[in-house]
Amino acid sequence: MKQLFLKLMDRWKFLVLPALAKLGFWGVGLVALIDSSTLPVPMDLILAGYVWGDKGHFWMYCLMGAAGSAIGGLLPYGLGRAGG
């Protein structure tokens, strides 16, 4: 089980994060959506890294993180509502 977790974390670190880095603030929104809906992600660290790299657009990163988180929260809400 531990090896499976380590393999998933390596894939996240070497495949997903570099792909999201190319998306800019849209990547922050996507990571926030994933974090809220299914997989826990260290969102604060990711957002801080993006803001540190582009301080002029910090408001856009924060806005996209909030929007992605709000939209991602609709999935567990919908599942809970449907399940009763």
Side-chain angles (χ1 to χ4, degrees):
M1 186 68 165
K2 183 178 177 182
Q3 289 180 348
L4 176 65
F5 178 73
L6 291 175
K7 283 183 182 181
L8 288 174
M9 290 308 292
D10 282 342
R11 285 186 184 168
W12 177 260
K13 185 172 34 174
F14 294 118
L15 292 176
V16 177
L17 287 180
L20 291 175
K22 293 179 182 182
L23 294 176
F25 59 86
W26 293 108
V28 171
L30 186 61
V31 170
L33 189 137
I34 292 169
D35 179 48
S36 266
S37 63
T38 54
L39 299 172
V41 177
M43 187 61 205
D44 298 335
L45 294 175
I46 293 170
L47 185 60
Y50 274 104
V51 170
W52 186 263
D54 187 14
K55 294 179 181 98
H57 294 109
F58 76 92
W59 59 273
M60 193 62 174
Y61 292 109
C62 296
L63 183 67
M64 287 303 293
S69 182
I71 293 169
L74 292 174
L75 178 70
Y77 170 77
L79 289 172
R81 186 169 170 96

